[in-house]
Amino acid sequence: MFVLFLCNLYLVPAAASKNKVKGSQGQFPLTQNVTVVEGGTAILTCRVDQNDNTSLQWSNPAQQTLYFDDKKALRDNRIELVRASWHELSISVSDVSLSDEGQYTCSLFTMPVKTSKAYLTVLGVPEKPQISGFSSPVMEGDLMQLTCKTSGSKPAADIRWFKNDKEIKDVKYLKEEDANRKTFTVSSTLDFRVDRSDDGVAVICRVDHESLNATPQVAMQVLEIHYTPSVKIIPSTPFPQEGQPLILTCESKGKPLPEPVLWTKDGGELPDPDRMVVSGRELNILFLNKTDNGTYRCEATNTIGQSSAEYVLIVHDPNALAGQNGPDHALIGGIVAVVVFVTLCSIFLLGRYLARHKGTYLTNEAKGAEDAPDADTAIINAEGSQVNAEEKKEYFI
């Protein structure tokens, strides 16, 4: 106890912002700040580059001596010696709590005593988040408000929301100090109006904090949305033909699942139950005839509401459909007639042009034949005479 008293007597305060203090003799202790997660183990190390057999000591924030060289001074089973020599004194603090946070002092017992400070930061681990505000089921169109909360974080944790793996940014955030005035309780509120596409969607609240080692804590809420049925009628063929079967399928979706559908024709019951068979959501007309023409209606109902769809049936004559599906002979005949007419007109115009050209040639040949030895010369003479006549005519004018 006398030694411990002397150790504490020679402690000299140093600036918290410095981790080393130089002395006139060139001896000084070196320390480092330490950050540890609550419940973890902190290692506090003090080193001296040059030491002439001078003792080292670690003290806690309350200035209680923890170790003097290799001798334990404070009865705390969590504190153990890691290494003790003339150049180093390292100790460990296990199962660290928030109350362990603070400034620790390493002292080198020279004259005067030299000290170095190491600040121990303890991170408070946030509790697993909880989502509140969901009551199942939710009706389509209702406004939903979900709140995610976590306590015990230090510093305050960050909360993020995701819906279908897509982050939602427009949320409210609240931070409050816990009763111990060391940790925080944070909460975030998400507001949105639901529709049927939200049914079965997982809404995730994610808590990020430096104490979680990049592995965030999450809470998930799967949404259950109730909505009125949606109905659609799908025919088995796009061109119903007389004498052939037809199946009309009533595709209905809703939550809760719609009850068995109701089939009607033209606002009344099906006229021929023997030939029109309802099986589940299907209406099977065994063989069609013209009397089946009309408007067929399918109704689906659940506890939320009712919805319906209509299908107008027109039974086609197979022969008429065959004619419609085959080649259009009238159109083809019209095209052929136009081609023939254009061809005949072209031949007629070409014949007239050739006939007129031949007559002009013979006329010119006759006009120049008097003094010409051959037909070509006669043509040239005739054209020359014609030009001279025009020149003379112009001259006399």
Side-chain angles (χ1 to χ4, degrees), residues 344-356:
L344 292 176
C345 290
S346 300
I347 294 174
F348 175 73
L349 293 175
L350 181 61
R352 290 198 59 186
Y353 171 76
L354 292 176
R356 292 185 63 183

Side-chain angles (χ1 to χ4, degrees), residues 10 30 34 57 66 89 96 108 123 138 189 215 228-229 248 283 293 306 310 337 341 348 356:
Y10 282 99
L30 301 174
V34 176
Q57 172 188 283
L66 304 178
L89 178 59
V96 174
L108 177 65
L123 301 177
V138 180
T189 302
T215 305
T228 57
L248 299 179
L283 170 58
N293 289 341
Q306 175 182 299
E310 293 184 345
F341 176 75
F348 175 73
R356 292 185 63 183

Side-chain angles (χ1 to χ4, degrees), residues 98-382:
L98 294 173
S99 61
D100 293 322
E101 183 174 83
Q103 190 167 263
Y104 289 72
T105 304
C106 175
S107 302
L108 177 65
F109 284 89
T110 57
M111 291 297 292
V113 175
K114 302 176 184 66
T115 62
S116 180
K117 307 291 185 180
Y119 197 89
L120 175 61
T121 301
V122 181
L123 301 177
V125 182
E127 297 176 357
K128 184 175 176 61
Q130 301 290 331
I131 296 177
S132 60
F134 180 76
S135 57
S136 180
V138 180
M139 303 303 170
E140 182 178 27
D142 285 355
L143 182 63
M144 179 177 290
Q145 185 176 84
L146 300 178
T147 300
C148 180
K149 180 182 289 187
T150 179
S151 301
S153 59
K154 176 182 171 295
D158 183 35
I159 295 180
R160 301 165 68 186
W161 288 95
F162 294 85
K163 179 181 172 186
N164 272 352
D165 296 328
K166 182 179 180 181
E167 185 173 1
I168 304 172
K169 296 288 188 179
D170 189 16
V171 296
K172 300 174 185 177
Y173 182 83
L174 179 64
K175 178 178 70 174
E176 297 176 317
E177 273 191 348
D178 293 333
N180 59 18
R181 304 189 67 82
K182 292 180 178 292
T183 58
F184 294 89
T185 293
V186 293
S187 61
S188 179
T189 302
L190 169 66
D191 296 318
F192 65 101
R193 196 169 298 279
V194 299
D195 58 35
R196 62 187 61 199
S197 64
D198 293 320
D199 184 50
V201 168
V203 176
I204 296 174
C205 162
R206 192 176 91 181
V207 175
D208 293 308
H209 194 261
E210 53 190 299
S211 67
L212 300 176
N213 297 323
T215 305
Q217 292 183 342
V218 297
M220 183 176 66
Q221 178 64 64
V222 179
L223 304 182
E224 182 182 359
I225 312 301
H226 282 194
Y227 54 93
T228 57
S230 61
V231 182
K232 180 171 63 174
I233 297 177
I234 303 174
S236 59
T237 176
F239 297 104
Q241 299 183 35
E242 191 171 8
Q244 293 184 352
L246 174 67
I247 298 176
L248 299 179
T249 302
C250 182
E251 187 180 86
S252 60
K253 298 178 181 179
K255 194 163 188 178
L257 191 66
E259 300 171 358
V261 298
L262 175 64
W263 284 99
T264 59
K265 181 194 176 197
D266 297 330
E269 296 181 356
L270 298 176
D272 192 346
D274 294 334
R275 195 167 48 87
M276 299 179 177
V277 180
V278 176
S279 176
R281 302 182 183 279
E282 293 182 351
L283 170 58
N284 190 350
I285 305 177
L286 301 181
F287 50 90
L288 295 170
N289 57 50
K290 295 290 187 178
T291 62
D292 296 328
N293 289 341
T295 301
Y296 291 79
R297 182 184 181 91
C298 167
E299 292 184 0
T301 305
N302 63 8
T303 56
I304 309 302
Q306 175 182 299
S307 186
S308 63
E310 293 184 345
Y311 173 78
V312 178
L313 173 60
I314 300 176
V315 180
H316 298 276
D317 187 343
N319 297 326
L321 283 177
Q324 293 177 3
N325 296 332
D328 193 335
H329 298 290
L331 179 61
I332 296 175
I335 294 174
V336 172
V338 170
V339 172
V340 171
F341 176 75
V342 171
T343 303
L344 292 176
C345 290
S346 300
I347 294 174
F348 175 73
L349 293 175
L350 181 61
R352 290 198 59 186
Y353 171 76
L354 292 176
R356 292 185 63 183
H357 182 71
K358 182 177 181 181
T360 302
Y361 180 85
L362 293 176
T363 302
N364 290 338
E365 182 182 3
K367 289 181 180 180
E370 294 179 358
D371 300 323
D374 53 31
D376 291 337
T377 304
I379 292 298
I380 294 172
N381 291 341

